[in-house]
Amino acid sequence: MSDSATNGGAGAGTGRSASGPGDGTRAVRAGLPEAVKHEPTLPGPVFAAHFHLPGDPTGPYTYGRDENPTWTHLERAIGELEAPGRSDVETLVFASGMAAISSVLFSQLRAGDTAVLPDDGYQALPLVRAQLEAYGIEVRTAPTGRDAQLDVLDGAKLLWIETPSNPGLDVCDVRRLVEAAHARGALVAVDNTLATPLGQRPLELGADFSVASGTKQLTGHGDVLLGYVAGHDAGAMAAVRRWRKIVGAIPGPMEAWLAHRSIATLQLRVDRQDATALRVAEALRTRPEITGLRYPGLPDDPSHKIASQQMQRYGCVVSFTLPSRARADRFLEALRLVEGATSFGGVRSTAERRGRWGGDAVPEGFIRLSVGAEDPDDLVADLLRALDETAH
């Protein structure tokens, strides 16, 4: 097995550069305020609909829909992970990943514009497409793999990339797509949910926006709905902020605080989960009943070459197909350490037959497995046992 199969691209596993600390140090200290004697290291959540505001309405905190000190700490933390060492990047947090996605699309596009979306991305994107088209925006789609979105890029105002794609785990060349889009005058947004900022930094790859659902591996405990947008263009981010204000798609202070608290263990969780995901993928590739096994960290995965050039870690999701819907259902029911649930990225492993939702173009027996933080040997044994027990 090559080093890249285990660790991702250059500097993977630490995220360290000559100019800054490693990923673990950065995650533990991200967004913390200056130390004040007798005050907590991470201040508790601020519950406030309004703030004392005599006289002119100046200062950072005026009304609870606009700003909150708890958001500020979290936004700084995410910004420090998405764009280490950069002072020109702004981050905004939202009530969910879909709120963050919508904020970029609907704040940047107008009637008559053209957007390019992946046709193999997150299940809710077809709903977004229908709404964009209802507003007079043309939407083109193409698969993530083989950089197919390049073929429909001419005349677009915004290119939306999802890499690795969910649930198929295809990867596209972000730098190549960004260069092509910018040459045509288009903005580029990258959904970074599956990779997390420790696996991939879209802004460093040239993207205008890095967008993600913080519900997933960023917070990692399956108890917070959250989204965020990070970007470096002040005008574009001002429009995103305005959209958040108008729609009111804001996170609660408790959710924001829990998210910030959880980021401290991000590097520990990601390294454990992603390493175990590779172990799982290697074990599953030996099973004759499994087809279409995908994990970008496998050296022979179709996405591995590109992924190893732009990712530091490959994610915690493994996908594969069992021969039938019935076999997939039996397999999922037989698992003891893997919970039957949607979403991914949590410390407890989850899996589901994606076809049950009807929105993904996948076979009936397609399984999306999110690898948690269980002992790798125990998890692999559980998966293989369930396959053996449901073989007939």
Side-chain angles (χ1 to χ4, degrees):
M1 187 192 311
S2 68
D3 289 341
S4 62
T6 305
N7 297 324
T14 65
R16 186 182 306 281
S17 67
S19 60
D23 284 343
T25 302
R26 188 177 290 115
V28 166
R29 306 206 60 81
L32 296 181
E34 291 294 327
V36 177
K37 188 175 183 178
H38 306 308
E39 293 293 326
T41 304
L42 177 63
V46 175
F47 299 97
H50 59 267
F51 302 85
H52 289 297
L53 194 65
D56 293 334
T58 59
Y61 304 111
T62 57
Y63 186 63
R65 189 182 64 249
D66 300 328
E67 289 288 355
N68 179 289
T70 310
W71 304 351
T72 300
H73 295 313
L74 175 60
E75 288 169 344
R76 289 173 180 167
I78 295 172
E80 290 170 15
L81 299 179
E82 283 280 354
R86 291 182 61 171
S87 60
D88 62 333
V89 171
E90 180 180 5
T91 304
L92 297 171
V93 291
F94 290 81
S96 68
M98 279 308 303
I101 289 170
S102 300
S103 75
V104 174
L105 291 169
F106 291 105
S107 70
Q108 305 302 314
L109 296 169
R110 303 289 183 271
D113 288 342
T114 298
V116 175
L117 306 181
D119 64 10
D120 56 348
Y122 181 52
Q123 187 188 48
L125 286 182
L127 299 176
V128 174
R129 175 179 184 170
Q131 192 63 55
L132 289 169
E133 291 175 335
Y135 289 155
I137 297 164
E138 179 187 354
V139 178
R140 304 172 191 159
T141 62
T144 298
R146 299 185 176 88
D147 300 341
Q149 288 173 297
L150 286 173
D151 297 334
V152 294
L153 195 53
D154 286 350
K157 173 70 179 299
L158 187 145
L159 168 63
W160 189 273
I161 296 171
E162 184 179 305
T163 182
S165 61
N166 172 29
L169 303 182
D170 271 323
V171 172
C172 60
D173 188 333
V174 175
R175 291 185 184 90
R176 183 186 182 200
L177 286 166
V178 165
E179 289 175 2
H182 285 173
R184 293 163 171 81
L187 296 168
V188 180
V190 177
D191 186 328
N192 203 36
T193 301
L194 201 145
T196 82
L198 300 195
Q200 178 174 264
R201 297 190 180 112
L203 300 180
E204 292 184 355
L205 298 173
D208 300 286
F209 302 99
S210 181
V211 187
S213 169
T215 308
K216 310 299 194 295
Q217 199 174 18
L218 184 81
T219 56
H221 292 79
D223 54 7
V224 171
L225 286 174
L226 191 86
Y228 70 84
V229 178
H232 55 78
D233 183 273
M237 289 303 294
V240 174
R241 179 184 291 273
R242 184 167 56 251
W243 190 93
R244 182 178 72 172
K245 177 184 177 72
I246 293 169
V247 178
I250 58 173
M254 191 66 196
E255 286 79 4
W257 184 86
L258 284 169
H260 197 171
R261 184 279 314 265
S262 298
I263 285 175
T265 62
L266 178 61
Q267 186 256 349
L268 298 172
R269 291 184 283 105
V270 164
D271 280 355
R272 173 62 173 257
Q273 290 173 253
D274 294 11
T276 303
L278 180 60
R279 284 274 308 276
V280 165
E282 290 171 335
L284 294 179
R285 74 194 307 181
T286 66
R287 302 293 302 209
E289 69 268 54
I290 285 179
T291 59
L293 176 69
R294 296 299 303 272
Y295 183 68
L298 289 171
D300 60 350
D301 186 272
S303 293
H304 179 72
K305 181 178 179 180
I306 296 174
S308 65
Q309 293 169 359
Q310 66 188 22
M311 300 182 71
Q312 288 74 48
R313 297 169 175 86
Y314 296 115
C316 64
V317 175
V318 177
S319 65
F320 56 93
T321 300
L322 288 171
S324 67
R325 171 176 178 170
R327 176 70 191 280
D329 286 339
R330 293 198 308 271
F331 166 71
L332 292 172
E333 187 174 349
L335 292 168
R336 296 169 185 165
L337 297 181
V338 182
E339 299 174 358
T342 194
S343 196
F344 58 85
V347 292
R348 288 174 288 279
S349 293
T350 60
E352 67 173 342
R353 190 179 62 79
R354 285 298 292 176
R356 66 179 178 168
W357 297 101
D360 293 308
V362 295
E364 285 286 355
F366 181 93
I367 301 292
R368 184 182 71 185
L369 169 65
S370 173
V371 175
E374 297 88 357
D375 185 282
D377 291 338
D378 292 340
L379 185 58
V380 169
D382 189 45
L383 291 165
L384 298 182
R385 177 198 53 77
L387 287 170
D388 287 338
E389 290 181 0
T390 59
H392 303 288

